[in-house]
């Protein structure tokens, strides 16, 4: 029976811990026990081995043979006179058999340098020649490292962010440090472990308390141990590390030496980063704008919870593909969409996201940004509607000369879309996503109005499901939804064209010549809606004719939400936030029969004065003919214009006159106005549900006697 050995030192809290777990499994399978298996459990790596901890320790102390890891194309790699060469020379002359593969690879590398006449760090052309020669002359075991460290895309080498730029990051060269740490752990001639090697192994692999750590670099693999500012009680700390950590994490990184890199490179084209397993371009989601700007890429570390051998994992990693629809995931947002659409290889329970961000303008850090479980989320497919607009907006907002506000908007947008793709679906989250899209739309509108010619197009019109799932069943949502649904009818533009300078007939394009001046939606809600009403009244008077209504019905509101809006200014902020968000939705439909019935029951809440004006201006011609039996239609432009100018009594008198002229039976009772006329004008823009229209017509037919006096406007 295999024993479960918990490797507490190999945890998912850092990229270092993750790679160490892979390194242990790879080396055990290849050099000790091919039947051993490994998995992740509660953030720690668990090894299933035909043996105990003592057997595992004995293997690493006395039998482990290091993989040839070397990079003579790098300065500082130990191959040139100005480099630290002690470890390279010691291992090149080592007598122990455990260093035989490394010794052979070092000899082949020095021979290649001699053949090319290279006595100093090669330039780009020399580097290409050297890499090609090394591929033909190094032993096969060393080519695994080369596949993990670089890929030739065309004539130029490209590098995965997992191993920096071909095995170095800034001034830190990985391969030379790997060999220096081997010499710290073992005697090159005898191969025997040194004094502290056993204790360091226990600390690195099993999480035991070990001897004092060495002052040596750990690189970006463990941000909390890399030293620098704010890493200690003083101003700056040294980088302290366990030599085994560096050795095992580089051995683990070789798990991503993709056998399929060549195939992926062809698919990735010029973007060679995408040729490496589970590696994508950085996304601004959950990153500071400046961090996102300097990020090198993202690595999504697959986490499996069922025991597996390294050969099985290698087959899985060699594919390393995450798919969105029919295309490969290109960035972090794409990757999370693929995860929740199950567009990744099966058998993976989750992914740990690492982003390689720049520190102090020099080196990078592999910052862990959360764990994503592989769970189907249908809303991940919603983001398909934003392709390819989102790519264009991302490229525009990420340019070097882009304003900082653009990067901030992009960061907020990608963060909320990231959350939307992976979280449990609820109305508040969908609203946040729509609001973030409206914010991006506003930013683009301002730039387009200023005459910029490189502005991406408007946000594409979204499907109705966005609005359906954003519904929190509040009066504010009902009002915002009804306002946002106002369609283009004749000379009257849709609500989206009032919010932004878009073409009313084609809201997915910026308007070349605007028939009216758009009003920034960030203004105060009620005065802004009153101005829109006045504008629509002028358009009706100029172009509409007697059949035109001030507001064509989209998704109408019941009378109760309208009454609440008239009576309570506290919902203005919510309406102002939701209106532009819901205006991004493509199509609308009327409420179902139950909702329509509820709208009719709420007629007693409607103030009488507003009802008279709404009859003349907002009720559809079909409803007036069907329920009020009117043959002639009232002309809405004048009463609407009077109300928008703050003259409610004159507006009501004009509405009564027009309704009477059309043949409506009118109540003799006067109305008293006790609220701001601009709020009444704003409410007049709200399209009415069919049942609400019927209720207002029934008020006419019954001479309005069933509407009691209400507080506020009457």
């Amino acid at each position: 029976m295999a024993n479960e050995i918990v490797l507490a030192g190999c945890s998912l809290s850092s990229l270092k811990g993750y790679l160490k777990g892979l390194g242990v499994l790879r080396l055990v399978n290849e050099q000790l026990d091919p039947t051993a298996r490994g998995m992740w459990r509660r953030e720690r790596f668990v090894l299933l081995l035909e043996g105990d901890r003592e057997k595992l320790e004995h293997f690493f102390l006395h039998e482990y043979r290091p993989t040839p890891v070397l990079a003579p194309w790098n300065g500082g790699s130990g191959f040139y006179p100005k480099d630290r060469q002690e470890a390279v020379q010691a291992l090149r002359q080592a007598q122990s058999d455990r260093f035989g593969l490394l010794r052979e690879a070092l000899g082949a590398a020095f021979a290649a340098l001699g053949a090319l006449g290279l006595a100093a760090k090669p330039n780009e052309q020399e580097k290409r020649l050297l890499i090609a020669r090394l591929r033909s002359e190094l032993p096969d075991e060393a080519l695994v490292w080369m596949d993990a460290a670089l890929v030739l895309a065309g004539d130029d080498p490209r590098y995965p962010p997992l191993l920096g730029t071909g095995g170095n990051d800034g001034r830190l060269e990985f391969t030379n440090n790997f060999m220096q740490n081997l010499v710290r752990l073992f005697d090159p001639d005898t191969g025997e472990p040194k004094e502290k090697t056993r204790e360091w192994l226990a600390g690195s692999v099993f999480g035991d308390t070990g001897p004092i750590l060495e002052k040596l670099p750990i690189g970006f693999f463990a941000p909390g141990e890399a030293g620098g500012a704010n890493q200690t009680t003083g101003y700056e700390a040294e980088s302290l590390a366990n030599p085994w950590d560096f050795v095992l994490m580089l051995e683990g990184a070789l798990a991503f030496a993709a056998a399929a890199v060549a195939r992926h490179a062809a698919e990735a084209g010029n973007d060679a980063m995408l040729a490496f397993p589970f590696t994508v371009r950085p996304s601004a989601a959950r990153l500071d704008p400046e961090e996102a700007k300097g990020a090198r890429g993202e690595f999504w570390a697959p986490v499996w919870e069922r025991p597996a051998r390294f050969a099985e994992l290698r087959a899985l990693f060699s594919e390393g593909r995450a798919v969105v629809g029919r295309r490969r995931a290109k960035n972090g947002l794409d990757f999370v969409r693929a995860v929740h659409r199950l567009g990744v290889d099966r058998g993976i329970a989750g992914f740990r996201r690492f982003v390689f961000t720049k520190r102090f303008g020099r080196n990078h850090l592999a910052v862990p940004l959360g764990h994503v479980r592989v769970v189907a989320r249908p809303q991940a497919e919603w983001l398909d509607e934003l392709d390819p607009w989102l790519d264009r907006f991302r490229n525009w907002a990420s340019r070097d000369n882009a304003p900082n506000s653009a990067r901030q908007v992009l960061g907020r947008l990608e963060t909320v879309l990231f959350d939307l793709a992976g979280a449990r679906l609820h109305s508040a989250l969908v609203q946040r996503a729509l609001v973030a899209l409206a914010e991006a739309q506003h930013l683009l509108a301002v730039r387009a109005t200023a005459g910029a010619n490189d502005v991406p197009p408007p946000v594409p019109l979204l499907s109705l499901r966005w609005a359906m799932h954003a519904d929190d069943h509040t009066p504010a949502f009902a009002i915002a939804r009804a306002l946002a649904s106002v369609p283009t009818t004749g000379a009257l533009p849709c609500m989206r064209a009032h919010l932004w300078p878009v073409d009313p007939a084609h809201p997915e394009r910026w308007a070349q010549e605007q028939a009216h001046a758009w009003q920034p939606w960030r203004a105060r809600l009620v005065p802004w809606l009153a101005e829109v009403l006045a504008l629509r009244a002028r358009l009706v008077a100029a172009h509409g004719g007697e059949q035109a209504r001030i507001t064509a019905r989209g998704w109408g509101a019941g009378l109760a939400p309208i009454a609440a809006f008239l009576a309570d200014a506290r919902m203005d902020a919510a309406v102002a936030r939701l209106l532009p968000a819901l205006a991004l939705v493509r199509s609308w439909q009327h409420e179902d029969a139950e909702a329509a019935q509820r709208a009719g029951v709420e007629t007693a809440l409607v103030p009488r004065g507003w009802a008279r004006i709404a009859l003349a201006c907002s009720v559809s011609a079909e409803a007036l003919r069907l329920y009020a039996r009117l043959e002639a239609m009232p002309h809405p432009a004048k009463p609407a214009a009077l109300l928008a100018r703050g003259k409610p009594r004159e507006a009501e008198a004009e509405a009564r006159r027009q309704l009477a002229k059309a043949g409506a039976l009118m109540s003799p009772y006067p109305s008293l106005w006790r609220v701001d006329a601009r709020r009444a004008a704003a409410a007049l823009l709200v399209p009415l549900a069919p049942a609400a229209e019927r209720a207002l017509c029934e008020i006419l037919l019954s001479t309005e006697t069933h509407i009691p006096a209400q507080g506020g406007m009457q």
Side-chain angles (χ1 to χ4, degrees):
M1 294 290 293
N3 294 317
E4 287 192 357
I5 305 175
V6 178
L7 309 186
C10 305
S11 73
L12 291 173
S13 61
S14 68
L15 183 57
K16 177 195 76 173
Y18 176 84
L19 293 177
K20 282 197 300 178
L22 283 179
V24 170
L25 179 62
R26 184 180 76 83
L27 293 169
V28 167
N29 270 166
E30 293 179 354
Q31 301 183 22
L32 176 63
D33 180 2
T35 67
R37 295 171 295 162
M39 60 183 177
W40 294 97
R41 181 194 296 158
R42 300 187 185 92
E43 300 276 309
R44 296 178 178 180
F45 196 76
V46 177
L47 184 68
L48 282 71
L49 180 68
E50 293 287 346
D52 54 13
R53 169 173 166 166
E54 184 177 351
K55 179 178 180 180
L56 185 63
E57 288 182 334
H58 182 273
F59 162 70
F60 278 109
L61 293 173
H62 301 286
E63 301 173 15
Y64 156 60
R65 299 183 303 280
T67 305
V69 171
L70 64 165
W73 54 82
N74 287 334
S77 58
F79 287 87
Y80 304 109
K82 294 183 179 180
D83 302 343
R84 289 190 60 181
Q85 296 184 307
E86 299 88 350
V88 171
Q89 294 300 331
L91 292 171
R92 187 183 180 188
Q93 301 167 13
Q95 300 300 310
S96 172
D97 290 341
R98 76 186 311 168
F99 298 115
L101 290 174
L102 187 53
R103 183 173 60 243
E104 180 185 356
L106 287 170
F110 275 104
L113 292 174
L116 294 174
L118 293 176
K121 175 185 174 182
N123 58 34
E124 292 303 315
Q125 182 177 358
E126 293 169 338
K127 183 183 292 187
R128 290 193 293 270
L129 295 174
L130 175 60
I131 291 173
R133 192 174 190 99
L134 290 172
R135 280 200 172 276
S136 65
E137 296 184 3
L138 285 178
D140 291 344
E141 293 81 1
L143 297 182
V144 178
W145 160 257
M146 291 190 70
D147 283 341
L150 55 85
V151 62
L152 288 174
D155 293 330
D156 297 323
R158 302 294 176 88
Y159 312 107
L162 181 63
L163 288 170
T165 53
N168 74 302
D169 181 50
R171 298 172 62 184
L172 175 62
E173 211 287 329
F174 298 162
T175 63
N176 197 347
N177 276 276
F178 175 83
M179 289 183 273
Q180 290 175 33
N181 281 296
L182 287 176
V183 172
R184 285 188 179 93
L185 296 170
F186 303 103
D187 185 303
D189 292 326
T190 65
E192 289 301 308
K194 293 186 176 179
E195 179 183 359
K196 298 179 182 179
T197 302
R198 179 184 295 275
E199 288 78 9
W200 275 329
L201 179 66
S204 176
V205 175
F206 302 106
D208 295 353
T209 301
I212 297 175
L213 300 178
E214 293 285 288
K215 289 184 179 180
L216 56 90
I218 195 64
F220 53 61
F221 301 95
E225 303 170 22
N230 301 320
Q231 294 286 327
T232 183
T233 54
Y235 292 108
E236 193 164 347
E238 296 280 353
S239 175
L240 300 175
N242 184 323
W244 273 111
D245 285 353
F246 205 100
V247 169
L248 291 176
M249 72 184 184
L250 278 197
E251 294 278 14
L254 301 185
F256 297 96
V261 159
R263 297 200 308 273
H264 294 177
E267 181 181 344
N270 292 328
D271 200 342
M273 181 184 298
L274 303 182
F276 293 92
F278 305 112
T279 304
V280 291
R281 292 199 299 264
S283 166
R286 300 181 182 174
L287 277 179
D288 178 88
E290 288 303 315
E291 286 184 315
K293 181 180 177 182
R296 175 184 286 163
E298 294 189 14
F299 172 65
W300 287 68
V303 177
W304 64 100
E305 296 175 353
R306 295 180 181 179
R309 298 181 181 90
F310 180 73
E312 300 171 84
L313 298 175
R314 182 171 54 197
L316 174 64
F317 295 170
S318 69
E319 289 299 320
R321 299 177 78 251
V323 180
V324 179
R326 295 184 178 182
R327 66 175 176 83
R328 186 184 182 88
K330 297 181 293 186
N331 53 61
L333 182 57
D334 278 354
F335 204 102
V336 76
R337 292 165 60 188
V339 168
H340 294 298
R341 293 172 63 161
L342 302 182
V344 294
D345 302 278
R346 303 302 189 268
I348 298 177
F351 289 87
R352 186 58 57 103
R353 179 190 179 204
F354 294 96
V355 180
F356 298 94
T357 62
K358 188 172 289 188
R359 179 185 64 166
F360 307 134
R362 298 176 297 179
N363 294 14
H364 289 76
L365 294 177
V367 179
L369 287 182
H371 189 86
V372 177
R373 300 287 300 180
V374 177
V375 179
R377 301 290 189 198
Q379 68 270 22
E381 297 185 8
W382 298 7
L383 274 63
D384 293 356
E385 300 176 27
L386 296 172
D387 294 331
W389 174 86
L390 187 57
D391 282 341
R392 294 188 62 178
F393 180 73
R394 182 185 295 111
N395 293 337
W396 177 80
S398 302
R399 299 172 307 169
D400 291 338
N401 60 346
N404 191 51
S405 59
R407 295 191 185 94
Q408 292 175 344
V409 169
L410 175 63
R412 289 192 291 269
L413 176 60
E414 292 208 333
T415 296
V416 70
L417 293 180
F418 191 99
D419 293 342
L420 176 65
R424 289 183 178 274
L425 192 60
H426 56 88
S427 59
L429 181 57
V430 182
Q431 286 185 16
R432 282 178 51 214
L434 287 170
V435 168
L437 285 166
E439 187 179 19
Q441 175 89 330
H442 180 76
L443 173 68
L444 295 176
V446 171
R447 300 289 293 179
T449 305
N453 56 11
D454 60 345
V455 177
V459 176
L461 296 173
L462 305 174
S463 63
L464 187 61
R465 58 188 173 183
W466 290 75
M468 296 288 289
H469 287 282
D471 190 355
D472 56 9
H473 306 290
T474 60
F477 188 90
I479 294 295
R481 176 179 59 190
L483 286 168
S485 72
V486 172
T488 298
T489 52
L492 296 178
C494 60
M495 185 56 68
R496 203 179 196 207
H498 289 301
L499 292 162
W500 303 292
V502 297
D503 186 336
H506 303 282
E508 69 280 2
R509 299 197 299 245
W510 299 117
Q512 298 299 319
E513 295 182 6
Q514 291 178 249
H516 62 281
W518 72 292
Q519 301 291 328
W521 57 267
R522 291 173 183 264
R524 293 175 57 197
L525 177 71
V526 167
W528 181 80
L529 288 174
E531 291 178 10
V532 172
L533 178 67
L535 171 62
R536 294 179 75 88
R538 292 195 298 272
L539 292 174
V540 167
H543 306 288
E546 294 193 358
Q547 299 301 316
R549 304 282 88 193
I550 290 294
T551 301
R553 188 169 66 222
W555 188 310
L559 297 181
I562 294 175
F565 177 73
L566 287 167
D568 190 358
R570 289 176 296 180
M571 64 189 294
D572 289 3
V575 174
R577 181 176 66 90
L578 291 170
L579 170 56
L582 296 174
L584 299 175
V585 174
R586 177 183 298 278
S587 60
W588 301 88
Q589 63 189 37
H590 304 313
E591 295 89 340
D592 57 25
E594 182 182 354
Q597 185 177 3
R598 288 197 303 269
V601 171
E602 298 159 345
T603 54
L605 300 173
V606 179
R608 187 186 307 153
W610 181 87
R612 290 192 179 111
I613 302 174
L615 281 169
C617 299
S618 299
V619 174
S620 65
E622 295 81 0
L624 289 174
R625 290 193 181 98
L626 179 62
Y627 298 114
R629 302 172 188 159
L630 300 183
E631 293 300 329
M633 293 297 109
H635 197 293
K638 191 170 182 180
L642 289 169
L643 187 58
R645 294 205 302 267
K647 299 180 178 181
R649 292 182 177 83
E650 292 86 340
E652 184 186 0
E654 178 63 24
R656 288 168 62 98
R657 185 185 69 79
Q658 292 204 24
L659 288 168
K661 183 178 178 181
L665 178 62
M666 299 302 299
S667 165
Y669 303 117
S671 296
L672 300 177
W673 290 81
R674 296 177 181 173
V675 296
D676 179 35
R678 283 183 173 267
R679 183 167 294 277
L684 198 62
L685 274 176
V686 181
L688 299 170
E693 290 188 335
R694 181 173 67 249
L696 290 181
C697 291
E698 289 173 354
I699 293 170
L700 270 178
L701 295 175
S702 61
T703 68
E704 306 177 356
T705 56
H706 70 290
I707 303 184
Q710 301 291 326
M713 186 178 71
Q714 294 188 37

